Amino acid sequence: MKKSLLLLLMLFTTTFVWSQRVIKGNVSEAGSRKEAIIGANVVAKGTTTGTTTDIDGNYTLTVPSGTTQLEISYVGMSSQIVTLGASNVIDVVMKGDKALDEVVVVAYGTQKRKDLTGAITSITSENFVKGAIQTPEQLVAGKVAGVQITSNGGAPGAGSTIRIRGGSSLNASNDPLIVIDGVPLDNGGINGAANGLGFVNPADIESITVLKDASSTAIYGSRAANGVIMIVTKKGSTGKMKVNISSLLSIGQPAKFAKVFTGDEFRELVKATGETKKIDLLGTANTDWQKEIFRNAVSQDHNFTFSGSLDKLPYRVSYNNANQNGILKNSNMTRNALSVGLSPSFFNNSLKVDVNYKVAQLKNQFADQGAVGNALSFDPTQSVLDSKNSAMSGYFEWVKDDAPNALAPRNPVALLNLKQDASTATRQIGNVQFNYALPFVKGLRANLNVGFDKAHGEGEKYTTPASAAAFNSGGYEGAYAQNKLNKLMEAYLNYNRQVGSNSKLDLVGGHSYQSFYNETRGYDRDLGLGNGNAVTRRSVPDTTKLVLISFFGRAVFNLQDKYIFTGTLRTDASSRFSPENRWGLFPSFAVAWKINEEGFMKNLGIFSDLKLRAGYGATGQQDAGGLYDYWTRYTLSETTTSYQFGDKIVRTLRPEAYAQNVWESTSTTNVALDYGFAKGKIYGSIDVYNRLSSNLLAEVPVAAGSNLKNRFVTNAGSLTNKGIEFSINFNPIATAKTNWTFGFNVTSNQNKITALTKYSDPNAPGIEAGGIAGGVGENIQFNKIGSAVSTFYVYKQVYNTAGKPIEGLFEDLNKDGKITADDRYLYKNPAPTQLYGFSSQFSHKNFNAGFTLRSNIGNYMYNNIFSQNGVSDKISTAEGYIANISTSVNETGFKKIDVVNNKSDYYMENASFLRMDNMYISYVITDKRTEETPVTTTISFNVQNAFVITKYKGIDPEIFNGIDNNFYPRARTYSLGINIGF
C-alpha cells in the first residue's frame, strides 16, 4: 500500500513539474541603444507568480500550468502582454512613458499628456482620497497644485468652496465650471440641497481633470475665468458581467470643543462679581451644552454595480444608498442614486455612442446651526429641562413678563428639537454623444452631444408655538420649491491626421447652445396661535431664463513630435447682457517644446520628459447680478415710502439702477516646465502664472441723493493673481509584489485689487465686507486698491509691558489725537499664501496603505467667538438672564462690550495648519477556486480628519471666509468598509 501511494505521489509530482514551463528572456528599452531595464515586473497573467529582471535586464520565470500570457510592466513604460508560443525564450522591448502616454480628457476631446500645452492635471480613481467621501470634489482635495478645496463645514452633504489659482472676481461667481460627462452645469444651487454636486455618487467617478490656464480653458469662453473641472464617470467594458458590492460604516465624532466655563467655574465667576441679581439667577446643574447638542454620528454608504457587455453593448449600472448623520443632532442626509452608462458601437466601430444617465434623490433634515453659537453662551448652571416651563415645551428658557427674554440666548437643545426643516431634492443629468467617423474624409469625425440637467427641490419649515424662538409670533411655518431645467446641444467636427512621418494636425470646430430655466416659489407665515397675529409673507413666483450661444474652434499642430502649437477661439453670446454688448470673444495661444526629443538631449539619456510650455489667453465671466440688469425698470416701494390719499395707502414706484454691462475678462499668462527622469520614476511640473481680471462686475455704491438702492452691479475695477505651482511624483519601489508612490505639490498665490472704479483712481474709497456678530451691520473686511481681496480692517491693539492687551486702547495711526474709524488699518487676509499637498500610497502583495496631508500657510482668521463672548460684561447684558463666556477672558481680562473693541487686531489669529485629511489601510483576499469568476474581497479601515496641527485657538482653522462664528465643525470620522467583486 505504501509503495502504491509513493508511486502515485511520484507520478503526480512528475506530471505537475512537466506541466510547468520555464520562460527566460530579456527586457530592454526601445531606442537605438536598447538599454536593459532593471527591475521590470514579469508576471504570469491571471496569477500572482512573477519575477523581476536583473541588472542585465534578464529574467527567468517558472509559469504555472495553463498560463498562456505574460504581463510585463515597469514604471514609466507602457505595460505589454505577450502570448506564449512554442519558444521558451521571450525578449521584450518596452516603449514609451506610461504616464506620458496617458490619455487625458480635455474640452471637446482627449489628448495624450505628453502633447499637452496647457496647465492640466488629471486624477484617476485609483489615486482618489479614500474613505467616507460624500461629495465628488473632496476626492481630489490636496491632490492638485493650484486648487484650494475647502469644505463648507461638517453638515451632512455639505458642499465645498473651490478656488483654482485664487478668485478672479469681487462680486461675480468665483466657482469653476463643472462639466460632467460633457454636460456643463450651472453654478447655482438647488433649493433643498446643501450641495449641487452632492447628487453625484463619488463611487461612480472614473477621473477628475482640472483645467487651470487660459490655453486649456479658453475654449469654454465666458464660463471659464475660474477654471474648469471635468468629471468623467465610469463606463462599461467588453466581457462577462462583473458585480461589485461595497458597504462602508462610519462613525463621526466632534474633533474639538470651544473653551467656555463649566457649570462650577461659571458659578464661581458670577459669585465673584458680588452682584446679587446675577447670583440669584444661578442654577445648580453642570450642563455641558456643547455635548448636549453634538453626538457620535453613525453613517452608512452602500454601492451595487453591474458592468460588462450584452453581446456588443458595453454597459454599467450602479445604485447607491447613503445615510449620513451629522454630529449636530437632528441633522441628516440620505441619498438614493442610480447611474446608467451604455457605450455601443455601430458600422464597424465607425459610429460610437455614449449614453449617460444619472438620477439621485436627496432627503435632508437641516439642524438649526444657531444652536452652535447658543451652546457657547447659554448658562451652564441650568438644566436642559424645566418642568415649570410647560408653555415652552418644558425646556428651560430665560423668561421676562411671561414671554421669552428677547435679549437672552435660546436653549440650544430646544432650538434643535422644536424646529423642523426638511427637504427633498431630485436631480437628473443625462446626455447622448454620437461620434461618427465620416467615410469620405479620412481622419474626420463628427460629434453631436445632446444633454439635459433637470432638478426639483422642495422643503418645509415649522417651528412650534411652544418654542421660545417663535413664541411671540405664535409659531412659524414656511415652504419653498424650485424647478430647474438646463438643456444642451453641441455639435463639432474633429479632423485628426498624421502629417508626414512624425507630425500631426488636430482641428476642432463647433457650435454650442445651452439654456437655463429656473422657477422658484414659496411662502413664510407666522401662525399667530395664541401668542400673536398671523402674518403671511408670500414670495411671488419667479421665473427666469438664460441662454448661451457659442461658436468655438481649436487647432493643435505637432511638428516632428517636438514642437506643439495650440490655438483656440470661442465667441459667446449671453442673454444676461444687452443686445449691443451680448457677444464676447475669447482667444488663446500656446506653444510647447519637447526638449528631451532633441538629439543633443536624447543622447544624454537623463530625461524621460522635459517640455517647456508657454501660453496666453482670455476667458470671461458673466455669472453676476440679475438676468435683466440692463433693463430700465421700477420696483414697488416698501411701506416706509407710501402715501395716504383719503382712506387709501398708495405705494410709490422706485427706479432701479441699471448698467449696460459687458463681460468680465480674465487674461492669463502661463509659463511652465514639465519634467521626468529616472525612466519616468520621478516626474512633475513647474508653472508660473499671472492672471489679470478686468471689467469686474462689482457691487458699487450709488451716489448720495439719488432715488436708487444703495448699491448696484456694474463693470468697475480689476484685480490680479500671481503665483507659482510645483508638483513632483516619485515611485521609488515598483516590483511585482511591492509598489510605493509619493505625490507632493505646493502653490504660492498672491492676489491684489488694482482698481475699484471704471477709471484708474488710486485714491478711490474701498468697499466694506465680511459681516460679523457683535453689532448690527458691522464688517471686519475691506476691499481697497493695493490690498488683497477681503483684507481684514482692524484697529491696532496696544499692549502693556507684560504683553497683555490693554482694553480699549488702540494706536492713533493718523495722529489726530483721537481714535476713530480712520485709525483702522488693513491687516492680513483669509486666503493662504501657500498651499501644500502630500500623499503616499504603499502596497505589498495584498496589503495597501496610504495617507493624504494638506496644509495652508499664511491664512488668517478673525476669531468672532472670542470677540463676541470674550468679555466679562457679556455674563449679563440685560436684566433677567446670565450668559456664559469664553475662557479667553482669562488671558485678556476684557470687560466691556464695544463694537470698536470687537475690531481689535488682537482677535486676528494665524490660522495656518497641517491637516491629516485621510489615512487608510486595506487588505485584499482573492478566492480563485472558480478560475473564471474569482471573488475578490477588500477590507478597509479609514480615518478622516485624523489630526490638525495649528496655532489657531478656535475649533477649526479652516473656514473659507476667515470669520469664525457659528461654524458647523468637521467631524473626525472612522470608517470600516468591505468591497466584494466577482
Side-chain angles (χ1 to χ4, degrees):
M1 183 64 179
K2 290 182 179 180
K3 290 182 179 181
S4 299
L5 289 174
L6 182 60
L7 182 61
L8 183 61
L9 180 60
M10 290 175 63
L11 180 61
F12 174 79
T13 304
T14 302
T15 302
F16 179 76
V17 171
W18 278 103
S19 65
Q20 293 179 323
R21 292 178 64 181
V22 178
I23 307 298
K24 297 180 179 181
N26 179 271
V27 181
S28 61
E29 182 179 355
S32 57
R33 305 193 333 178
K34 287 192 176 181
E35 290 187 356
I37 297 180
I38 305 170
N41 299 317
V42 183
V43 179
K45 186 171 176 56
T47 74
T48 57
T49 302
T51 186
T52 56
T53 55
D54 61 20
I55 193 170
D56 297 316
N58 297 323
Y59 71 92
T60 301
L61 177 63
T62 302
V63 300
S65 62
T67 300
T68 59
Q69 293 177 319
L70 297 183
E71 183 173 7
I72 300 93
S73 61
Y74 183 73
V75 175
M77 298 290 179
S78 297
S79 299
Q80 292 193 35
I81 296 176
V82 179
T83 300
L84 298 180
S87 176
N88 288 333
V89 178
I90 297 179
D91 295 332
V92 178
V93 178
M94 304 194 74
K95 297 179 180 179
D97 186 309
K98 185 166 60 174
L100 294 177
D101 285 336
E102 175 190 358
V103 175
V104 176
V105 174
V106 297
Y108 306 108
T110 60
Q111 291 181 357
K112 288 186 177 180
R113 191 167 72 87
K114 65 181 180 181
D115 294 333
L116 297 175
T117 58
I120 299 177
T121 301
S122 183
I123 307 294
T124 58
S125 56
E126 61 184 11
N127 294 314
F128 285 163
V129 175
K130 307 296 190 295
I133 305 295
Q134 293 295 337
T135 57
E137 70 278 4
Q138 289 296 323
L139 293 170
V140 294
K143 297 277 187 176
V144 182
V147 179
Q148 180 185 4
I149 299 176
T150 307
S151 66
N152 297 331
S160 301
T161 301
I162 307 173
R163 293 293 177 265
I164 299 176
R165 294 182 169 181
S168 65
S169 184
L170 286 177
N171 292 101
S173 172
N174 282 300
D175 297 328
L177 173 66
I178 308 292
V179 181
I180 298 181
D181 289 331
V183 179
L185 308 182
D186 68 70
N187 285 329
I190 299 170
N191 290 345
N195 176 17
L197 278 179
F199 294 87
V200 181
N201 177 18
D204 286 334
I205 297 175
E206 176 61 33
S207 68
I208 296 179
T209 301
V210 182
L211 316 182
K212 296 182 282 188
D213 72 332
S215 172
S216 56
T217 64
I219 200 167
Y220 277 116
S222 65
R223 304 177 64 189
N226 301 302
V228 180
I229 295 179
M230 307 191 71
I231 297 175
V232 176
T233 58
K234 296 174 181 177
K235 304 294 187 292
S237 58
T238 58
K240 295 183 178 180
M241 184 176 69
K242 298 177 182 178
V243 180
N244 190 277
I245 302 171
S246 67
S247 290
L248 192 71
L249 178 67
S250 305
I251 299 177
Q253 299 177 343
K256 187 178 180 180
F257 291 114
K259 295 181 179 179
V260 294
F261 290 97
T262 66
D264 289 337
E265 292 169 343
F266 187 70
R267 264 185 289 269
E268 294 301 318
L269 192 66
V270 173
K271 290 177 180 178
T273 66
E275 298 181 36
T276 304
K277 288 184 177 180
K278 292 182 180 180
I279 297 172
D280 290 344
L281 294 173
L282 287 169
T284 59
N286 275 288
T287 303
D288 187 328
W289 290 102
Q290 292 182 85
K291 291 184 177 179
E292 291 293 335
I293 65 170
F294 290 114
R295 64 183 175 185
N296 292 336
V298 178
S299 303
Q300 302 175 57
D301 195 327
H302 309 288
N303 287 283
F304 305 88
T305 305
F306 307 87
S307 63
S309 62
L310 292 173
D311 194 13
K312 294 183 179 180
L313 174 61
Y315 67 88
R316 183 181 185 274
V317 179
S318 71
Y319 169 72
N320 168 249
N321 172 260
N323 188 332
Q324 183 185 10
N325 286 307
I327 57 173
L328 184 61
K329 290 180 179 178
N330 294 338
S331 59
N332 172 267
M333 185 275 289
T334 61
R335 176 177 60 213
N336 286 281
L338 176 69
S339 176
V340 179
L342 304 175
S343 306
S345 297
F346 305 94
F347 312 128
N348 294 323
N349 293 326
S350 294
L351 175 61
K352 297 181 179 179
V353 182
D354 195 9
V355 181
N356 302 286
Y357 176 73
K358 287 166 281 291
V359 58
Q361 184 184 75
L362 302 184
K363 288 183 176 293
N364 291 281
Q365 177 64 50
F366 300 106
D368 189 339
Q369 289 187 213
V372 177
N374 280 270
L376 305 183
S377 59
F378 210 84
D379 179 6
T381 69
Q382 307 298 335
S383 299
V384 174
L385 300 175
D386 180 4
S387 58
K388 300 177 182 178
N389 195 5
S390 59
M392 281 170 256
S393 299
Y395 288 95
F396 177 86
E397 296 284 2
W398 294 109
V399 177
K400 185 177 182 180
D401 299 328
D402 297 324
N405 190 321
L407 298 176
R410 297 285 172 253
N411 185 319
V413 178
L415 285 176
L416 294 176
N417 291 342
L418 300 182
K419 178 180 179 179
Q420 296 294 319
D421 186 353
S423 73
T424 300
T426 304
R427 189 172 195 175
Q428 303 174 67
I429 302 173
N431 69 313
V432 181
Q433 293 192 66
F434 302 90
N435 193 319
Y436 181 55
L438 298 174
F440 47 83
V441 179
K442 187 175 181 181
L444 182 63
R445 303 189 71 93
N447 189 291
L448 174 65
N449 182 17
V450 180
F452 71 94
D453 177 8
K454 183 178 182 180
H456 172 75
E458 61 182 21
E460 294 182 348
K461 301 178 181 180
Y462 173 77
T463 304
T464 172
S467 165
F471 187 84
N472 292 324
S473 61
Y476 162 83
E477 70 176 10
Y480 56 87
Q482 181 182 33
N483 290 303
K484 300 180 75 172
L485 177 59
N486 305 332
K487 299 177 183 179
L488 171 73
M489 192 284 291
E490 290 181 330
Y492 64 88
L493 295 175
N494 177 214
Y495 180 70
N496 196 321
R497 278 297 300 273
Q498 187 83 15
V499 180
S501 59
N502 58 353
S503 296
K504 289 182 292 186
L505 181 64
D506 189 350
L507 302 176
V508 172
H511 166 68
S512 175
Y513 172 92
Q514 193 165 11
S515 66
F516 303 87
Y517 172 85
N518 183 24
E519 177 193 5
T520 60
R521 60 186 185 275
Y523 74 89
D524 296 282
R525 182 171 65 182
D526 293 334
L527 298 178
L529 299 177
N531 305 309
N533 297 317
V535 177
T536 300
R537 297 173 290 275
R538 295 188 181 274
S539 67
V540 177
D542 185 21
T543 301
T544 59
K545 184 177 182 180
L546 169 68
V547 174
L548 291 174
I549 298 176
S550 312
F551 297 92
F552 56 88
R554 177 176 61 217
V556 181
F557 183 50
N558 189 329
L559 180 62
Q560 297 177 0
D561 202 26
K562 296 180 186 179
Y563 318 106
I564 307 173
F565 306 89
T566 302
T568 65
L569 184 67
R570 183 168 180 130
T571 178
D572 282 340
S574 170
S575 63
R576 192 184 294 271
F577 300 108
S578 62
E580 55 270 27
N581 295 326
R582 187 152 288 172
W583 287 91
L585 189 65
F586 307 99
S588 77
F589 181 76
V591 296
W593 175 26
K594 295 183 181 180
I595 305 173
N596 62 301
E597 292 295 332
E598 297 289 355
F600 68 88
M601 188 62 68
K602 268 188 172 183
N603 294 332
L604 296 177
I606 299 174
F607 293 96
S608 58
D609 182 26
L610 189 64
K611 181 173 64 178
L612 183 65
R613 294 183 280 112
Y616 173 83
T619 50
Q621 169 71 280
Q622 55 87 40
D623 194 3
L627 294 180
Y628 315 109
D629 284 346
Y630 64 90
W631 286 4
T632 57
R633 61 199 188 280
Y634 294 83
T635 300
L636 198 62
S637 67
E638 303 297 333
T639 55
T640 53
T641 53
S642 58
Y643 299 90
Q644 183 170 357
F645 293 90
D647 59 351
K648 293 183 179 181
I649 302 295
V650 179
R651 296 167 64 185
T652 61
L653 290 173
R654 181 182 62 194
E656 293 289 347
Y658 70 96
Q660 299 292 319
N661 294 329
V662 297
W663 306 87
E664 277 192 3
S665 179
T666 299
S667 59
T668 303
T669 302
N670 194 92
V671 179
L673 181 70
D674 298 330
Y675 64 88
F677 49 92
K679 296 183 178 179
K681 283 193 172 185
I682 302 174
Y683 64 94
S685 63
I686 304 170
D687 283 74
V688 180
Y689 60 88
N690 185 1
R691 300 169 62 198
L692 170 63
S693 298
S694 55
N695 286 322
L696 294 184
L697 290 167
E699 190 178 54
V700 299
V702 174
S706 60
N707 187 28
L708 303 171
K709 286 185 176 180
N710 293 332
R711 297 174 183 270
F712 77 111
V713 175
T714 188
N715 292 111
S718 60
L719 62 87
T720 62
N721 280 277
K722 298 179 180 180
I724 183 170
E725 301 168 356
F726 170 75
S727 66
I728 184 170
N729 299 276
F730 182 34
N731 193 179
I733 300 176
T735 68
K737 296 181 180 179
T738 306
N739 192 64
W740 194 7
T741 62
F742 290 95
F744 174 75
N745 67 78
V746 59
T747 305
S748 176
N749 183 77
Q750 298 284 344
N751 73 61
K752 181 188 293 186
I753 299 171
T754 52
L756 279 174
T757 59
K758 288 189 174 183
Y759 308 99
S760 178
D761 181 6
N763 298 316
I767 302 172
E768 288 201 14
I772 60 173
V776 178
E778 296 297 324
N779 296 289
I780 199 64
Q781 293 169 338
F782 205 63
N783 290 319
K784 187 174 177 61
I785 294 174
S787 68
V789 175
S790 299
T791 296
F792 293 106
Y793 195 43
V794 291
Y795 293 97
K796 194 171 185 63
Q797 182 70 54
V798 175
Y799 296 80
N800 62 23
T801 56
K804 186 175 181 178
I806 301 174
E807 184 174 10
L809 189 58
F810 306 100
E811 289 192 23
D812 181 14
L813 296 183
N814 66 353
K815 308 299 182 184
D816 65 351
K818 53 186 177 181
I819 302 299
T820 66
D822 293 334
D823 292 304
R824 293 169 73 182
Y825 75 107
L826 297 169
Y827 177 69
K828 305 297 183 181
N829 70 88
T833 57
Q834 294 178 343
L835 301 170
Y836 293 88
F838 181 48
S839 59
S840 180
Q841 296 186 70
F842 174 81
S843 64
H844 178 69
K845 295 183 179 179
N846 296 341
F847 173 80
N848 299 274
F851 66 84
T852 301
L853 275 168
R854 284 191 304 111
S855 178
N856 287 9
I857 303 296
N859 52 303
Y860 273 70
M861 185 85 72
Y862 171 69
N863 196 327
N864 204 180
I865 300 296
F866 283 9
S867 66
Q868 186 182 15
N869 295 332
V871 293
S872 57
D873 282 358
K874 186 77 173 181
I875 293 174
S876 179
T877 56
E879 287 190 11
Y881 79 93
I882 50 178
N884 203 356
I885 59 176
S886 167
T887 57
S888 63
V889 74
N890 292 334
E891 300 177 15
T892 64
F894 285 177
K895 297 181 179 179
K896 188 178 179 181
I897 300 171
D898 187 271
V899 293
V900 174
N901 292 346
N902 279 357
K903 297 171 184 175
S904 167
D905 63 2
Y906 172 79
Y907 297 116
M908 299 305 310
E909 295 187 43
N910 188 336
S912 301
F913 66 86
L914 175 68
R915 185 187 298 273
M916 178 62 80
D917 244 3
N918 175 272
M919 302 168 62
Y920 76 91
I921 58 173
S922 65
Y923 189 79
V924 181
I925 303 170
T926 303
D927 184 353
K928 291 190 175 181
R929 285 177 290 184
T930 305
E931 292 187 5
E932 293 185 357
T933 57
V935 179
T936 301
T937 302
T938 304
I939 300 173
S940 62
F941 177 72
N942 181 284
V943 183
Q944 287 175 265
N945 192 24
F947 62 81
V948 180
I949 299 174
T950 182
K951 292 182 178 179
Y952 181 62
K953 298 175 183 177
I955 295 178
D956 197 309
E958 192 176 11
I959 301 174
F960 184 80
N961 68 356
I963 300 173
D964 186 1
N965 180 44
N966 233 30
F967 181 71
Y968 192 133
R970 300 177 181 90
R972 177 165 297 132
T973 305
Y974 304 88
S975 303
L976 182 64
I978 183 169
N979 186 300
I980 301 173
F982 55 90

